[in-house]
Amino acid sequence: MNSMNEHPFLSYETVRDIAKRFGTPIYVYDENSLRCNAEACLAFPNAFGLTVRFAMKACPTAAVLRLFDSMGLHFDASSIYEVRRAMRAGIAPEKISLSTQELPEDFADEIKAGIRFNACSLDQLDRYGKAFPGTRVGVRFNPGIGSGATGKTNVGGPDSSFGVWHEYADAVKCILGKHGLTLERIHTHIGSGSDPAVWQRAAISSLDMVRRFPTVETLDFGGGYKVARVPGEKTTDLQACGAPVRDAIAKLAEETGRRLHFEIEPGTYLVANAGSIVARVQDVTDTGKFGRSFIKLDMGMTDLLRPSLYGAQHPTMLVPSLLRPNTPPRPVVNYVLVGHCCESGDLVSCAPGEPEKLATRAFHQVEIGDLCVIGGAGAYCAGMSAKNYNSFPEAAEVLIGADGNARLIRRRQTLDQIVQNEIF
């Protein structure tokens, strides 16, 4: 995608208007796209009931959480701070599930408020049991296999620290018995951007773990569904992906009478292509006749870390700052897009999966002041960035409503806010 005519929800006019009204860089989300994606997830195949939990780490902005809440989605939190953030946004505690790498000492209040909890290690399960003996709990298991778009997004298998290793099921039983706990939910997640075939195999194999714990009523198999941001990538067909798991759960019911409730935790699928970044070309430079041509944007890894971290690919589109009627077309130039940070790794256009390798994008000759739209930026962008590096402020966020009007949902950070906790 390199033409605004191909953008799913922005037009040249809308981009210019948003940049004029709210400044750049800015995240732009689209309500209609968010709703459409949520409806697709709510239709995920299931045999005996489904809960869709938004993996809020993908985009934790309150307006997005509230929109999904209004559609009946629940929420997956990856830290106690995400739990508290969701509750501040008005999300009911009973709609929040916590699966975290770090369980803080002060977790009890949120449990008492009604959130659900999946212990992600033997120590977490023991600590929970000491604090809440005789109660119901979930456990996250590492199923022994993983899959992700890159090694950095693979969270299953022997190289992953996430969850209780599947061979330690007997140790889980001992801790459950020690504290009189009832295991009501088994949770697992193998990675973001996972191969649908591996996802299916791991989900179905998790039923073997369910058989070992007769009190389990819910199987939560996370998310990780692939989304096509650029040509050559393929979006997961949720119906095709989920059907074999639905059938396996139905077969388990025939064999044992156990009718498992199913949960999924999509993040990227719900928000990735429902968000874009609008940035401004703040400089254009080159390194001579046999060198490179560079577009320097007024954003970078402070707003979009994924290329620098994973070698992730995002579509980029140029929007001339002004309409220039009756002027000849500009020549096409191959540009490297870079961010504004004093960091050579601050790339927007890197090679696929190779964050240190420069790649180019072809544009008609760019002028300072032009606008650039970076697509596929709804997931793991505003919520995962090198915030305040070089003391750049966090960008603002806007939501284009179903009526087509854009409204501010997060203000641009100020310098006072950046330094407010420093002690002079």
Side-chain angles (χ1 to χ4, degrees), residues 149-183:
T150 72
K152 294 180 179 179
T153 58
N154 183 329
V155 294
D159 292 336
S160 173
S161 66
F162 292 85
V164 177
W165 185 243
H166 63 102
E167 295 176 332
Y168 298 157
D170 287 342
V172 169
K173 287 185 176 181
C174 288
I175 297 173
L176 293 173
K178 174 183 175 183
H179 299 295
L181 299 173
T182 299
L183 183 61

PDB file of all heavy atoms in Angstrom, residues 149-183:
ATOM      1  N   ALA A 149       5.478 -14.170  14.868  1.00  0.00           N
ATOM      2  CA  ALA A 149       5.974 -13.545  13.635  1.00  0.00           C
ATOM      3  C   ALA A 149       7.498 -13.462  13.644  1.00  0.00           C
ATOM      4  O   ALA A 149       8.147 -13.537  12.608  1.00  0.00           O
ATOM      5  CB  ALA A 149       5.369 -12.157  13.483  1.00  0.00           C
ATOM      6  N   THR A 150       8.086 -13.301  14.839  1.00  0.00           N
ATOM      7  CA  THR A 150       9.542 -13.308  15.013  1.00  0.00           C
ATOM      8  C   THR A 150       9.857 -14.051  16.304  1.00  0.00           C
ATOM      9  O   THR A 150       8.958 -14.369  17.090  1.00  0.00           O
ATOM     10  CB  THR A 150      10.117 -11.877  15.125  1.00  0.00           C
ATOM     11  OG1 THR A 150       9.751 -11.320  16.395  1.00  0.00           O
ATOM     12  CG2 THR A 150       9.597 -10.975  14.014  1.00  0.00           C
ATOM     13  N   GLY A 151      11.156 -14.320  16.529  1.00  0.00           N
ATOM     14  CA  GLY A 151      11.546 -14.954  17.776  1.00  0.00           C
ATOM     15  C   GLY A 151      11.178 -14.124  18.987  1.00  0.00           C
ATOM     16  O   GLY A 151      10.949 -14.654  20.076  1.00  0.00           O
ATOM     17  N   LYS A 152      11.097 -12.810  18.814  1.00  0.00           N
ATOM     18  CA  LYS A 152      10.782 -11.919  19.925  1.00  0.00           C
ATOM     19  C   LYS A 152       9.298 -11.897  20.266  1.00  0.00           C
ATOM     20  O   LYS A 152       8.907 -11.320  21.279  1.00  0.00           O
ATOM     21  CB  LYS A 152      11.264 -10.508  19.613  1.00  0.00           C
ATOM     22  CG  LYS A 152      12.789 -10.381  19.526  1.00  0.00           C
ATOM     23  CD  LYS A 152      13.207  -8.966  19.215  1.00  0.00           C
ATOM     24  CE  LYS A 152      14.719  -8.839  19.143  1.00  0.00           C
ATOM     25  NZ  LYS A 152      15.166  -7.474  18.824  1.00  0.00           N
ATOM     26  N   THR A 153       8.462 -12.486  19.400  1.00  0.00           N
ATOM     27  CA  THR A 153       7.029 -12.521  19.688  1.00  0.00           C
ATOM     28  C   THR A 153       6.532 -13.953  19.884  1.00  0.00           C
ATOM     29  O   THR A 153       5.332 -14.198  19.901  1.00  0.00           O
ATOM     30  CB  THR A 153       6.225 -11.841  18.567  1.00  0.00           C
ATOM     31  OG1 THR A 153       6.496 -12.494  17.300  1.00  0.00           O
ATOM     32  CG2 THR A 153       6.574 -10.373  18.468  1.00  0.00           C
ATOM     33  N   ASN A 154       7.463 -14.887  20.037  1.00  0.00           N
ATOM     34  CA  ASN A 154       7.145 -16.280  20.318  1.00  0.00           C
ATOM     35  C   ASN A 154       7.168 -16.465  21.831  1.00  0.00           C
ATOM     36  O   ASN A 154       8.188 -16.238  22.478  1.00  0.00           O
ATOM     37  CB  ASN A 154       8.184 -17.190  19.644  1.00  0.00           C
ATOM     38  CG  ASN A 154       7.876 -18.669  19.832  1.00  0.00           C
ATOM     39  OD1 ASN A 154       7.308 -19.078  20.825  1.00  0.00           O
ATOM     40  ND2 ASN A 154       8.280 -19.472  18.857  1.00  0.00           N
ATOM     41  N   VAL A 155       6.047 -16.874  22.422  1.00  0.00           N
ATOM     42  CA  VAL A 155       5.981 -16.974  23.882  1.00  0.00           C
ATOM     43  C   VAL A 155       5.622 -18.386  24.339  1.00  0.00           C
ATOM     44  O   VAL A 155       5.016 -18.578  25.397  1.00  0.00           O
ATOM     45  CB  VAL A 155       4.995 -15.947  24.477  1.00  0.00           C
ATOM     46  CG1 VAL A 155       5.496 -14.537  24.250  1.00  0.00           C
ATOM     47  CG2 VAL A 155       3.597 -16.112  23.902  1.00  0.00           C
ATOM     48  N   GLY A 156       5.993 -19.381  23.535  1.00  0.00           N
ATOM     49  CA  GLY A 156       5.787 -20.764  23.933  1.00  0.00           C
ATOM     50  C   GLY A 156       7.021 -21.585  23.629  1.00  0.00           C
ATOM     51  O   GLY A 156       7.913 -21.155  22.892  1.00  0.00           O
ATOM     52  N   GLY A 157       7.093 -22.762  24.211  1.00  0.00           N
ATOM     53  CA  GLY A 157       8.224 -23.640  23.950  1.00  0.00           C
ATOM     54  C   GLY A 157       9.325 -23.505  24.994  1.00  0.00           C
ATOM     55  O   GLY A 157       9.244 -22.688  25.919  1.00  0.00           O
ATOM     56  N   PRO A 158      10.387 -24.290  24.854  1.00  0.00           N
ATOM     57  CA  PRO A 158      11.433 -24.339  25.887  1.00  0.00           C
ATOM     58  C   PRO A 158      12.252 -23.067  26.032  1.00  0.00           C
ATOM     59  O   PRO A 158      12.938 -22.900  27.040  1.00  0.00           O
ATOM     60  CB  PRO A 158      12.315 -25.516  25.435  1.00  0.00           C
ATOM     61  CG  PRO A 158      12.049 -25.657  23.974  1.00  0.00           C
ATOM     62  CD  PRO A 158      10.628 -25.273  23.792  1.00  0.00           C
ATOM     63  N   ASP A 159      12.216 -22.176  25.049  1.00  0.00           N
ATOM     64  CA  ASP A 159      12.970 -20.923  25.151  1.00  0.00           C
ATOM     65  C   ASP A 159      12.139 -19.778  25.716  1.00  0.00           C
ATOM     66  O   ASP A 159      12.575 -18.628  25.712  1.00  0.00           O
ATOM     67  CB  ASP A 159      13.511 -20.524  23.776  1.00  0.00           C
ATOM     68  CG  ASP A 159      14.590 -21.474  23.276  1.00  0.00           C
ATOM     69  OD1 ASP A 159      15.229 -22.125  24.115  1.00  0.00           O
ATOM     70  OD2 ASP A 159      14.782 -21.570  22.050  1.00  0.00           O
ATOM     71  N   SER A 160      10.940 -20.076  26.192  1.00  0.00           N
ATOM     72  CA  SER A 160      10.037 -19.031  26.685  1.00  0.00           C
ATOM     73  C   SER A 160       9.817 -19.163  28.188  1.00  0.00           C
ATOM     74  O   SER A 160       9.632 -20.262  28.717  1.00  0.00           O
ATOM     75  CB  SER A 160       8.684 -19.113  25.967  1.00  0.00           C
ATOM     76  OG  SER A 160       7.761 -18.216  26.542  1.00  0.00           O
ATOM     77  N   SER A 161       9.796 -18.030  28.874  1.00  0.00           N
ATOM     78  CA  SER A 161       9.583 -18.015  30.324  1.00  0.00           C
ATOM     79  C   SER A 161       8.115 -17.864  30.696  1.00  0.00           C
ATOM     80  O   SER A 161       7.782 -17.789  31.880  1.00  0.00           O
ATOM     81  CB  SER A 161      10.377 -16.852  30.945  1.00  0.00           C
ATOM     82  OG  SER A 161       9.858 -15.604  30.502  1.00  0.00           O
ATOM     83  N   PHE A 162       7.235 -17.827  29.701  1.00  0.00           N
ATOM     84  CA  PHE A 162       5.825 -17.527  29.970  1.00  0.00           C
ATOM     85  C   PHE A 162       5.051 -18.787  30.364  1.00  0.00           C
ATOM     86  O   PHE A 162       4.997 -19.763  29.619  1.00  0.00           O
ATOM     87  CB  PHE A 162       5.170 -16.905  28.739  1.00  0.00           C
ATOM     88  CG  PHE A 162       5.688 -15.534  28.408  1.00  0.00           C
ATOM     89  CD1 PHE A 162       6.834 -15.370  27.644  1.00  0.00           C
ATOM     90  CD2 PHE A 162       5.030 -14.401  28.864  1.00  0.00           C
ATOM     91  CE1 PHE A 162       7.318 -14.110  27.338  1.00  0.00           C
ATOM     92  CE2 PHE A 162       5.503 -13.129  28.563  1.00  0.00           C
ATOM     93  CZ  PHE A 162       6.657 -12.987  27.808  1.00  0.00           C
ATOM     94  N   GLY A 163       4.432 -18.746  31.528  1.00  0.00           N
ATOM     95  CA  GLY A 163       3.576 -19.842  31.954  1.00  0.00           C
ATOM     96  C   GLY A 163       4.328 -20.967  32.639  1.00  0.00           C
ATOM     97  O   GLY A 163       5.558 -21.037  32.653  1.00  0.00           O
ATOM     98  N   VAL A 164       3.554 -21.876  33.223  1.00  0.00           N
ATOM     99  CA  VAL A 164       4.103 -23.049  33.902  1.00  0.00           C
ATOM    100  C   VAL A 164       4.399 -24.119  32.850  1.00  0.00           C
ATOM    101  O   VAL A 164       3.519 -24.475  32.055  1.00  0.00           O
ATOM    102  CB  VAL A 164       3.102 -23.602  34.943  1.00  0.00           C
ATOM    103  CG1 VAL A 164       3.659 -24.869  35.605  1.00  0.00           C
ATOM    104  CG2 VAL A 164       2.783 -22.545  35.997  1.00  0.00           C
ATOM    105  N   TRP A 165       5.594 -24.622  32.825  1.00  0.00           N
ATOM    106  CA  TRP A 165       5.985 -25.663  31.872  1.00  0.00           C
ATOM    107  C   TRP A 165       5.017 -26.848  31.997  1.00  0.00           C
ATOM    108  O   TRP A 165       4.684 -27.284  33.101  1.00  0.00           O
ATOM    109  CB  TRP A 165       7.420 -26.089  32.128  1.00  0.00           C
ATOM    110  CG  TRP A 165       7.956 -27.069  31.135  1.00  0.00           C
ATOM    111  CD1 TRP A 165       8.362 -28.344  31.382  1.00  0.00           C
ATOM    112  CD2 TRP A 165       8.173 -26.840  29.737  1.00  0.00           C
ATOM    113  NE1 TRP A 165       8.817 -28.936  30.229  1.00  0.00           N
ATOM    114  CE2 TRP A 165       8.703 -28.037  29.192  1.00  0.00           C
ATOM    115  CE3 TRP A 165       7.965 -25.754  28.886  1.00  0.00           C
ATOM    116  CZ2 TRP A 165       9.039 -28.187  27.848  1.00  0.00           C
ATOM    117  CZ3 TRP A 165       8.296 -25.883  27.540  1.00  0.00           C
ATOM    118  CH2 TRP A 165       8.820 -27.079  27.031  1.00  0.00           C
ATOM    119  N   HIS A 166       4.550 -27.349  30.854  1.00  0.00           N
ATOM    120  CA  HIS A 166       3.473 -28.343  30.848  1.00  0.00           C
ATOM    121  C   HIS A 166       3.827 -29.624  31.603  1.00  0.00           C
ATOM    122  O   HIS A 166       2.930 -30.316  32.124  1.00  0.00           O
ATOM    123  CB  HIS A 166       3.088 -28.670  29.399  1.00  0.00           C
ATOM    124  CG  HIS A 166       4.184 -29.304  28.602  1.00  0.00           C
ATOM    125  ND1 HIS A 166       4.224 -30.658  28.343  1.00  0.00           N
ATOM    126  CD2 HIS A 166       5.293 -28.779  28.001  1.00  0.00           C
ATOM    127  CE1 HIS A 166       5.291 -30.938  27.613  1.00  0.00           C
ATOM    128  NE2 HIS A 166       5.960 -29.810  27.386  1.00  0.00           N
ATOM    129  N   GLU A 167       5.095 -29.945  31.724  1.00  0.00           N
ATOM    130  CA  GLU A 167       5.496 -31.152  32.441  1.00  0.00           C
ATOM    131  C   GLU A 167       5.405 -31.006  33.961  1.00  0.00           C
ATOM    132  O   GLU A 167       5.607 -31.978  34.695  1.00  0.00           O
ATOM    133  CB  GLU A 167       6.917 -31.556  32.039  1.00  0.00           C
ATOM    134  CG  GLU A 167       7.023 -31.974  30.570  1.00  0.00           C
ATOM    135  CD  GLU A 167       8.455 -32.283  30.148  1.00  0.00           C
ATOM    136  OE1 GLU A 167       9.404 -31.708  30.748  1.00  0.00           O
ATOM    137  OE2 GLU A 167       8.615 -33.088  29.219  1.00  0.00           O
ATOM    138  N   TYR A 168       5.091 -29.787  34.420  1.00  0.00           N
ATOM    139  CA  TYR A 168       4.978 -29.553  35.859  1.00  0.00           C
ATOM    140  C   TYR A 168       3.531 -29.584  36.339  1.00  0.00           C
ATOM    141  O   TYR A 168       3.185 -29.010  37.375  1.00  0.00           O
ATOM    142  CB  TYR A 168       5.612 -28.216  36.229  1.00  0.00           C
ATOM    143  CG  TYR A 168       7.104 -28.129  35.938  1.00  0.00           C
ATOM    144  CD1 TYR A 168       7.727 -26.904  35.759  1.00  0.00           C
ATOM    145  CD2 TYR A 168       7.888 -29.281  35.847  1.00  0.00           C
ATOM    146  CE1 TYR A 168       9.090 -26.824  35.484  1.00  0.00           C
ATOM    147  CE2 TYR A 168       9.248 -29.210  35.574  1.00  0.00           C
ATOM    148  CZ  TYR A 168       9.840 -27.985  35.389  1.00  0.00           C
ATOM    149  OH  TYR A 168      11.180 -27.906  35.120  1.00  0.00           O
ATOM    150  N   ALA A 169       2.679 -30.274  35.606  1.00  0.00           N
ATOM    151  CA  ALA A 169       1.265 -30.337  35.979  1.00  0.00           C
ATOM    152  C   ALA A 169       1.075 -30.957  37.360  1.00  0.00           C
ATOM    153  O   ALA A 169       0.201 -30.532  38.133  1.00  0.00           O
ATOM    154  CB  ALA A 169       0.475 -31.125  34.934  1.00  0.00           C
ATOM    155  N   ASP A 170       1.876 -31.957  37.699  1.00  0.00           N
ATOM    156  CA  ASP A 170       1.739 -32.573  39.019  1.00  0.00           C
ATOM    157  C   ASP A 170       2.111 -31.593  40.134  1.00  0.00           C
ATOM    158  O   ASP A 170       1.507 -31.620  41.215  1.00  0.00           O
ATOM    159  CB  ASP A 170       2.618 -33.824  39.114  1.00  0.00           C
ATOM    160  CG  ASP A 170       2.061 -34.984  38.295  1.00  0.00           C
ATOM    161  OD1 ASP A 170       0.865 -34.931  37.949  1.00  0.00           O
ATOM    162  OD2 ASP A 170       2.830 -35.923  37.994  1.00  0.00           O
ATOM    163  N   ALA A 171       3.100 -30.730  39.867  1.00  0.00           N
ATOM    164  CA  ALA A 171       3.460 -29.710  40.868  1.00  0.00           C
ATOM    165  C   ALA A 171       2.305 -28.729  41.053  1.00  0.00           C
ATOM    166  O   ALA A 171       2.042 -28.263  42.172  1.00  0.00           O
ATOM    167  CB  ALA A 171       4.726 -28.974  40.427  1.00  0.00           C
ATOM    168  N   VAL A 172       1.614 -28.419  39.953  1.00  0.00           N
ATOM    169  CA  VAL A 172       0.429 -27.563  40.061  1.00  0.00           C
ATOM    170  C   VAL A 172      -0.616 -28.232  40.938  1.00  0.00           C
ATOM    171  O   VAL A 172      -1.222 -27.599  41.817  1.00  0.00           O
ATOM    172  CB  VAL A 172      -0.141 -27.261  38.656  1.00  0.00           C
ATOM    173  CG1 VAL A 172      -1.521 -26.611  38.765  1.00  0.00           C
ATOM    174  CG2 VAL A 172       0.803 -26.352  37.880  1.00  0.00           C
ATOM    175  N   LYS A 173      -0.840 -29.526  40.732  1.00  0.00           N
ATOM    176  CA  LYS A 173      -1.823 -30.251  41.541  1.00  0.00           C
ATOM    177  C   LYS A 173      -1.466 -30.201  43.023  1.00  0.00           C
ATOM    178  O   LYS A 173      -2.348 -30.040  43.882  1.00  0.00           O
ATOM    179  CB  LYS A 173      -1.912 -31.701  41.072  1.00  0.00           C
ATOM    180  CG  LYS A 173      -2.627 -31.893  39.745  1.00  0.00           C
ATOM    181  CD  LYS A 173      -2.770 -33.368  39.408  1.00  0.00           C
ATOM    182  CE  LYS A 173      -3.559 -33.569  38.132  1.00  0.00           C
ATOM    183  NZ  LYS A 173      -3.734 -35.002  37.781  1.00  0.00           N
ATOM    184  N   CYS A 174      -0.192 -30.318  43.332  1.00  0.00           N
ATOM    185  CA  CYS A 174       0.239 -30.269  44.735  1.00  0.00           C
ATOM    186  C   CYS A 174      -0.069 -28.930  45.382  1.00  0.00           C
ATOM    187  O   CYS A 174      -0.547 -28.869  46.528  1.00  0.00           O
ATOM    188  CB  CYS A 174       1.737 -30.573  44.825  1.00  0.00           C
ATOM    189  SG  CYS A 174       2.169 -32.293  44.527  1.00  0.00           S
ATOM    190  N   ILE A 175       0.205 -27.850  44.657  1.00  0.00           N
ATOM    191  CA  ILE A 175      -0.058 -26.510  45.210  1.00  0.00           C
ATOM    192  C   ILE A 175      -1.556 -26.277  45.348  1.00  0.00           C
ATOM    193  O   ILE A 175      -2.014 -25.691  46.345  1.00  0.00           O
ATOM    194  CB  ILE A 175       0.594 -25.427  44.325  1.00  0.00           C
ATOM    195  CG1 ILE A 175       2.122 -25.604  44.323  1.00  0.00           C
ATOM    196  CG2 ILE A 175       0.226 -24.025  44.820  1.00  0.00           C
ATOM    197  CD1 ILE A 175       2.848 -24.689  43.347  1.00  0.00           C
ATOM    198  N   LEU A 176      -2.328 -26.732  44.367  1.00  0.00           N
ATOM    199  CA  LEU A 176      -3.787 -26.611  44.461  1.00  0.00           C
ATOM    200  C   LEU A 176      -4.288 -27.319  45.716  1.00  0.00           C
ATOM    201  O   LEU A 176      -5.100 -26.771  46.486  1.00  0.00           O
ATOM    202  CB  LEU A 176      -4.455 -27.210  43.224  1.00  0.00           C
ATOM    203  CG  LEU A 176      -4.230 -26.511  41.887  1.00  0.00           C
ATOM    204  CD1 LEU A 176      -4.827 -27.335  40.744  1.00  0.00           C
ATOM    205  CD2 LEU A 176      -4.833 -25.112  41.875  1.00  0.00           C
ATOM    206  N   GLY A 177      -3.793 -28.543  45.943  1.00  0.00           N
ATOM    207  CA  GLY A 177      -4.217 -29.292  47.117  1.00  0.00           C
ATOM    208  C   GLY A 177      -3.760 -28.661  48.414  1.00  0.00           C
ATOM    209  O   GLY A 177      -4.498 -28.655  49.416  1.00  0.00           O
ATOM    210  N   LYS A 178      -2.562 -28.134  48.427  1.00  0.00           N
ATOM    211  CA  LYS A 178      -1.990 -27.504  49.620  1.00  0.00           C
ATOM    212  C   LYS A 178      -2.867 -26.366  50.127  1.00  0.00           C
ATOM    213  O   LYS A 178      -3.029 -26.173  51.346  1.00  0.00           O
ATOM    214  CB  LYS A 178      -0.589 -26.992  49.284  1.00  0.00           C
ATOM    215  CG  LYS A 178       0.092 -26.185  50.358  1.00  0.00           C
ATOM    216  CD  LYS A 178       1.444 -25.686  49.854  1.00  0.00           C
ATOM    217  CE  LYS A 178       2.133 -24.762  50.819  1.00  0.00           C
ATOM    218  NZ  LYS A 178       3.427 -24.236  50.260  1.00  0.00           N
ATOM    219  N   HIS A 179      -3.447 -25.597  49.193  1.00  0.00           N
ATOM    220  CA  HIS A 179      -4.231 -24.413  49.584  1.00  0.00           C
ATOM    221  C   HIS A 179      -5.733 -24.589  49.356  1.00  0.00           C
ATOM    222  O   HIS A 179      -6.493 -23.626  49.536  1.00  0.00           O
ATOM    223  CB  HIS A 179      -3.740 -23.192  48.799  1.00  0.00           C
ATOM    224  CG  HIS A 179      -2.307 -22.849  49.035  1.00  0.00           C
ATOM    225  ND1 HIS A 179      -1.826 -22.427  50.253  1.00  0.00           N
ATOM    226  CD2 HIS A 179      -1.219 -22.879  48.199  1.00  0.00           C
ATOM    227  CE1 HIS A 179      -0.524 -22.204  50.173  1.00  0.00           C
ATOM    228  NE2 HIS A 179      -0.129 -22.476  48.941  1.00  0.00           N
ATOM    229  N   GLY A 180      -6.157 -25.789  48.983  1.00  0.00           N
ATOM    230  CA  GLY A 180      -7.581 -26.023  48.760  1.00  0.00           C
ATOM    231  C   GLY A 180      -8.131 -25.248  47.577  1.00  0.00           C
ATOM    232  O   GLY A 180      -9.315 -24.855  47.575  1.00  0.00           O
ATOM    233  N   LEU A 181      -7.295 -25.003  46.568  1.00  0.00           N
ATOM    234  CA  LEU A 181      -7.718 -24.231  45.398  1.00  0.00           C
ATOM    235  C   LEU A 181      -8.418 -25.128  44.380  1.00  0.00           C
ATOM    236  O   LEU A 181      -8.111 -26.315  44.250  1.00  0.00           O
ATOM    237  CB  LEU A 181      -6.512 -23.574  44.734  1.00  0.00           C
ATOM    238  CG  LEU A 181      -5.706 -22.587  45.573  1.00  0.00           C
ATOM    239  CD1 LEU A 181      -4.449 -22.157  44.813  1.00  0.00           C
ATOM    240  CD2 LEU A 181      -6.551 -21.366  45.935  1.00  0.00           C
ATOM    241  N   THR A 182      -9.334 -24.527  43.629  1.00  0.00           N
ATOM    242  CA  THR A 182     -10.014 -25.210  42.535  1.00  0.00           C
ATOM    243  C   THR A 182      -9.543 -24.607  41.221  1.00  0.00           C
ATOM    244  O   THR A 182      -9.685 -23.397  41.005  1.00  0.00           O
ATOM    245  CB  THR A 182     -11.544 -25.073  42.644  1.00  0.00           C
ATOM    246  OG1 THR A 182     -11.984 -25.672  43.872  1.00  0.00           O
ATOM    247  CG2 THR A 182     -12.230 -25.745  41.467  1.00  0.00           C
ATOM    248  N   LEU A 183      -8.977 -25.420  40.356  1.00  0.00           N
ATOM    249  CA  LEU A 183      -8.542 -24.920  39.053  1.00  0.00           C
ATOM    250  C   LEU A 183      -9.750 -24.868  38.126  1.00  0.00           C
ATOM    251  O   LEU A 183     -10.296 -25.904  37.736  1.00  0.00           O
ATOM    252  CB  LEU A 183      -7.460 -25.829  38.457  1.00  0.00           C
ATOM    253  CG  LEU A 183      -6.872 -25.357  37.125  1.00  0.00           C
ATOM    254  CD1 LEU A 183      -6.187 -23.999  37.276  1.00  0.00           C
ATOM    255  CD2 LEU A 183      -5.888 -26.381  36.565  1.00  0.00           C
TER     256      LEU A 183
END
